[in-house]
Amino acid sequence: MAPKTTAPATAAQESTPRQPILPVLISSPADVGRLEHELNQIDETLTQLGLRAPGTEVKMPKTSRLMDIMVDQNKLNLLREEDRKELKQFLGIVKEQAPYMHISFGADPSVMFMEKLMTWLRQEIHPFVLVTVGLQPNIGAGCIVRSTNKQFDFSLGKTFMQKRELLMAKLK
């Protein structure tokens, strides 16, 4: 049996654009804005580095955890200008075109819950959906979900109001 060989990649295969990934931890419009700001700082620092005289000391900006995750999952190198431009363009597209949702809870949701929620939303709704989390202590339990044109009230208070007659009958 002859050993399997793989054909060398053609130019068409190499130039296929990769689909960028928006990590689950980047979940809100504020996260996208912070990444854009951080990327601009990195870009400015590297531009200044090119303009400085050789031998001068330059302090590189530290990258945030979200930026590290974004770069790792998309296999980018921020030292390359092409990768920075690609990331800047992707973040701009996400900021302008991603569907937004606002979810209000009665208490702060845990990080693990938000990761699971974002994973589900990105698989079932849209791969770049962004969520802003709000707190409304009067909700009690459940949540209220708002999009640009719909609102859904999944709170316990709303359920009690809908079933008020049954609740009052059981209490008597």
Side-chain angles (χ1 to χ4, degrees):
M1 187 163 152
K4 291 184 180 180
T5 59
T6 57
T10 62
Q13 290 171 331
E14 289 175 2
S15 66
T16 336
R18 57 183 170 204
Q19 177 66 29
I21 299 167
L22 188 62
V24 175
L25 290 177
I26 300 169
S27 59
S28 72
D31 292 339
V32 175
R34 280 192 292 271
L35 286 175
E36 281 184 320
H37 179 71
E38 187 175 351
L39 188 59
N40 286 335
Q41 285 181 325
I42 292 168
D43 207 23
E44 285 178 23
T45 301
L46 291 172
T47 301
Q48 289 175 7
L49 179 63
L51 298 174
R52 289 184 183 218
T56 53
E57 191 175 319
V58 176
K59 185 176 181 184
M60 290 295 289
K62 292 190 183 223
T63 56
S64 66
R65 180 173 174 241
L66 291 181
M67 181 63 82
D68 292 341
I69 291 169
M70 184 75 169
V71 168
D72 288 344
Q73 286 191 7
N74 287 293
K75 296 175 180 43
L76 298 172
N77 180 355
L78 293 181
L79 296 175
R80 292 182 36 179
E81 187 176 357
E82 303 84 38
D83 286 0
R84 290 192 311 272
K85 283 182 181 178
E86 181 183 329
L87 182 56
K88 201 178 283 190
Q89 180 182 13
F90 174 64
L91 291 174
I93 290 170
V94 168
K95 193 173 184 178
E96 290 176 13
Q97 297 178 4
Y100 291 95
M101 296 174 69
H102 181 90
I103 304 177
S104 296
F105 296 99
D108 249 344
S110 70
V111 174
M112 189 183 322
F113 172 78
M114 284 306 297
E115 282 183 35
K116 288 180 183 178
L117 177 64
M118 290 307 299
T119 301
W120 185 85
L121 288 171
R122 297 239 171 106
Q123 288 173 350
E124 301 296 326
I125 306 295
H126 192 277
F128 302 140
V129 68
L130 297 173
V131 174
T132 303
V133 175
L135 294 177
Q136 289 186 7
N138 60 344
I139 289 176
C143 65
I144 298 174
V145 179
R146 290 190 313 260
S147 69
T148 52
N149 57 355
K150 294 271 186 184
Q151 178 170 323
F152 302 96
D153 191 342
F154 301 112
S155 67
L156 187 60
K158 178 76 169 184
T159 305
F160 279 160
M161 291 304 287
Q162 290 173 343
K163 310 248 180 188
R164 181 179 168 87
E165 297 299 321
L166 177 62
L167 182 62
M168 294 306 287
K170 294 291 181 180
L171 287 174
K172 290 182 182 179

